[in-house]
Amino acid sequence: MVDIWIYVQQKDGDIEAPTFGLVSEAKRLMTELDAAGQITAVALGPADESTLSALGTYGVSRVLQVTGKQMHRYQGEIFSRALLNLAHNEEPTCLLMCQSAETEDLAQRLAALLQAALVTRAMDFSMRPDGTARAVRPVANGYLFEEVTLDSQPTPVVSFLPAVLLDTIPDRDTLAAVTTIPLPDSQDLKTRTVEVIEAAPEDLDLEEADIIVVGGRGVGKGDSFDVIHSLARAIGGSVGGTRPIIDWGYLTYDRQIGQTGKYVSPRLIINCGISGANEYTAGMEKSQQVIAIDQNPRARIFRFADLGVVGDVHQILPLLISRIEDQE
Ligand SMILES: Cc1cc2nc3c(=O)[nH]c(=O)nc-3n(C[C@H](O)[C@H](O)[C@H](O)COP(=O)(O)OP(=O)(O)OC[C@H]3O[C@@H](n4cnc5c(N)ncnc54)[C@H](O)[C@@H]3O)c2cc1C
């Protein structure tokens, strides 16, 4: 029987939106495979049973939840072993994840343990009844795409770029059965967390950040980008960029937001000198409050903005920063 597994992405006990997009992908694969089967969600950690069983209303048949003292915070060795045990016992058809800092690590560990095929940052993935599987992923920062074929045995691990996962709505009344599997504490770990060191807000991983200041091509070259760092420091935000900023080398690739970069949903995002191309907005449109500053009143970014300011970033941002600093 076809059994497609999806990995439940959680934050503070809530299921994150891309998980529901994975259910859509799983349904699509099920149709492609044209065989009877089920979708299984695998949850590691603290989400409560009612939250998990509600996945049934999206089409998930059952949830396997691994719980234990060591599951409260992501640790690669423990999480990958927990998944390995489940996958060994049940041999799912494939395991789908949503790309994040956590799954970047987890998917690689698990695929190595399973000795299975791995595709990260997938934009498309398909499996055929004859056992062939293929995927498409961007390379060279989205300037090229590669198509790969992969072995469908043992269980391939595929992590999708969040921006390609579609919004999904519940389409049935059924709840999923949740099976809880307690995980005993592991004593034989090769690595142990001894301390958790908080990052300065400016250096926070974009997926974790509450506030993000993003600079685009309109901020300009040379020292011009410093104003984005200054604003981020003044308001305790992290710094992101559009693709031109990464291409110019002012920020590293892990700071790119968009279809081929990071998917973010902070409480506040401030977009500076960004036109709002759909490849960019695909990575930030779930942000709660959006501010945009651009000199072109017709810029597409304003369609997403709760507050839009038309003007030159190099006039507006220094004024804004000095106002904020005056209030401190
Ligand atoms: C397959 C593919 C994948 C892609 N993936 C991504 C991705 O993940 N992330 C991404 O960002 N892009 C991605 N892109 C590129 C994307 O299409 C856009 O080219 C890019 O987002 C544009 O970045 P931008 O808004 O900074 O620049 P532009 O589109 O050039 O916009 C610059 C803006 O700055 C404004 N401006 C200029 N000077 C000033 C000033 N002094 N003050 C205020 N405003 C000013 C202009 O009015 C303009 O609106 C991808 C493209 C492709 C084809």
Side-chain angles (χ1 to χ4, degrees):
M1 182 180 73
V2 172
D3 187 9
I4 298 178
W5 283 21
I6 61 162
Y7 179 71
V8 179
Q9 189 111 347
Q10 301 178 48
K11 192 171 188 181
D12 304 329
D14 291 329
I15 298 174
E16 293 195 273
T19 304
F20 304 107
L22 288 178
V23 183
S24 294
E25 289 298 327
K27 284 183 191 165
R28 183 185 54 74
L29 281 171
M30 198 76 88
T31 311
E32 272 180 18
L33 286 164
D34 195 21
Q38 63 180 2
I39 300 171
T40 301
V42 191
L44 306 184
D48 63 42
E49 188 174 336
S50 62
T51 305
L52 292 172
S53 62
L55 281 165
T57 61
Y58 291 82
V60 168
S61 313
R62 60 174 188 152
V63 181
L64 302 176
Q65 182 183 27
V66 183
T67 56
K69 273 206 301 247
Q70 291 175 317
M71 305 301 295
H72 67 285
R73 200 172 56 79
Y74 177 72
Q75 289 187 69
E77 220 175 313
I78 298 168
F79 275 46
S80 55
R81 280 194 207 174
L83 270 183
L84 177 72
N85 287 341
L86 294 180
H88 261 165
N89 290 341
E90 306 231 2
E91 297 181 7
T93 311
C94 59
L95 172 58
L96 311 182
M97 296 183 179
C98 165
Q99 189 84 25
S100 68
E102 178 180 314
T103 57
E104 173 93 31
D105 182 69
L106 182 60
Q108 295 185 28
R109 287 175 183 271
L110 181 65
L113 291 168
L114 284 170
Q115 299 194 350
L118 167 69
V119 180
T120 56
R121 311 180 65 252
M123 298 184 81
D124 190 22
F125 173 59
S126 58
M127 291 184 99
R128 301 264 175 258
D130 64 6
T132 55
R134 62 174 280 283
V136 176
R137 62 196 296 271
V139 288
N141 195 6
Y143 286 101
L144 298 171
F145 297 91
E146 68 178 10
E147 181 175 344
V148 292
T149 57
L150 51 153
D151 289 349
S152 56
Q153 293 286 338
T155 308
V157 181
V158 178
S159 83
F160 283 87
L161 284 172
V164 302
L165 296 171
L166 298 174
D167 280 346
T168 310
I169 50 166
D171 59 1
R172 58 200 79 184
D173 293 332
T174 42
L175 294 177
V178 180
T179 306
T180 304
I181 301 141
L183 184 81
D185 285 359
S186 305
Q187 305 301 339
D188 60 340
L189 296 176
K190 304 278 182 267
T191 46
R192 271 176 209 81
T193 306
V194 285
E195 191 183 354
V196 177
I197 303 159
E198 282 199 15
E202 202 187 334
D203 301 327
L204 258 188
D205 193 312
L206 290 175
E207 286 155 357
E208 305 286 326
D210 210 25
I211 301 175
I212 305 177
V213 183
V214 196
R217 198 200 306 266
V219 177
K221 292 191 168 180
D223 296 337
S224 306
F225 203 77
D226 292 350
V227 73
I228 300 297
H229 290 283
S230 303
L231 176 59
R233 272 194 294 276
I235 60 175
S238 189
V239 173
T242 59
R243 186 161 81 169
I245 297 303
I246 279 67
D247 288 349
W248 288 342
Y250 297 136
L251 292 175
T252 48
Y253 178 55
D254 61 324
R255 302 257 139 211
Q256 177 174 316
I257 294 169
Q259 190 188 79
T260 48
K262 289 266 170 84
Y263 172 92
V264 299
S265 51
R267 193 165 49 81
L268 171 67
I269 187 163
I270 306 181
N271 301 276
C272 310
I274 294 171
S275 61
N278 58 8
E279 293 87 359
Y280 169 71
T281 54
M284 52 65 72
E285 62 195 6
K286 296 280 157 51
S287 305
Q288 288 176 35
Q289 290 291 317
V290 178
I291 298 178
I293 306 166
D294 198 284
Q295 66 184 13
N296 175 7
R298 297 161 69 92
R300 183 173 181 270
I301 193 70
F302 289 128
R303 293 190 210 162
F304 298 82
D306 298 289
L307 171 67
V309 183
V310 178
D312 182 344
V313 285
H314 293 294
Q315 288 181 352
I316 294 163
L317 294 185
L319 282 174
L320 180 61
I321 294 164
S322 75
R323 280 281 183 91
I324 294 165
E325 287 172 350
D326 285 350
Q327 285 184 353
E328 282 170 358

